[in-house]
Amino acid sequence: MFSTFPGGWPGVGLLLLRGAAGVTAAVQGLNCLSGGAQTAASEWAFGVAAILAGLMLASGFLTPLAGALVAFGTVALAFGWFPQPVPNLLDAELASVFVVIISIAVTFLGPGAYSVDARLFGRREIIIPQTARSTKK
């Protein structure tokens, strides 16, 4: 059953987690840039950073860095460290908590089988060597 996909069903689950957090961050970044000519430089910089980090997270490229950036950006928006865009996607505190938890989970879990990181760096296999056990009596 798990052999249907290269990473098994957990790989598909990671793909969905990465996609949910990454697309949410990218859309939030687009909202920051939607102000047009009156967009402040800090909003513009935050919007571009959110789009890039969201796309990196969704595609699985440099996943630990992208997950940390998305989590930090969401916390910064929630605490008001950056100016809020007018159509704020993460207006409710619960939505901000949701994105932070997903981003941190993906940061700790890694990119999974369906990611650019898996293509570039390969999947990791941890081999625990067999050691001779001493027989104590």
Side-chain angles (χ1 to χ4, degrees):
M1 178 165 134
F2 284 104
S3 63
T4 306
F5 299 106
W9 289 106
V12 175
L14 278 172
L15 175 67
L16 293 173
L17 276 173
R18 279 194 345 258
V23 168
T24 302
V27 169
Q28 184 67 23
L30 286 172
N31 284 344
C32 286
L33 299 178
S34 66
Q38 66 267 22
T39 303
S42 60
E43 287 182 29
W44 187 84
F46 179 78
V48 170
I51 291 169
L52 290 176
L55 293 177
M56 286 171 55
L57 186 61
S59 67
F61 179 64
L62 300 177
T63 306
L65 174 66
L69 286 174
V70 169
F72 174 75
T74 304
V75 168
L77 277 178
F79 286 129
W81 298 340
F82 291 113
Q84 295 279 340
V86 176
N88 188 8
L89 184 66
L90 302 173
D91 195 21
E93 288 81 15
L94 186 59
S96 294
V97 170
F98 164 73
V99 174
V100 169
I101 289 172
I102 287 178
S103 299
I104 291 171
V106 171
T107 300
F108 289 143
L109 290 172
Y114 303 105
S115 65
V116 175
D117 283 350
R119 274 289 192 205
L120 291 176
F121 307 116
R123 297 185 65 202
R124 295 183 188 171
E125 181 178 355
I126 299 173
I127 299 173
I128 301 172
Q130 293 282 341
T131 59
R133 295 184 180 186
S134 62
T135 55
K136 295 182 181 179
K137 290 187 180 183

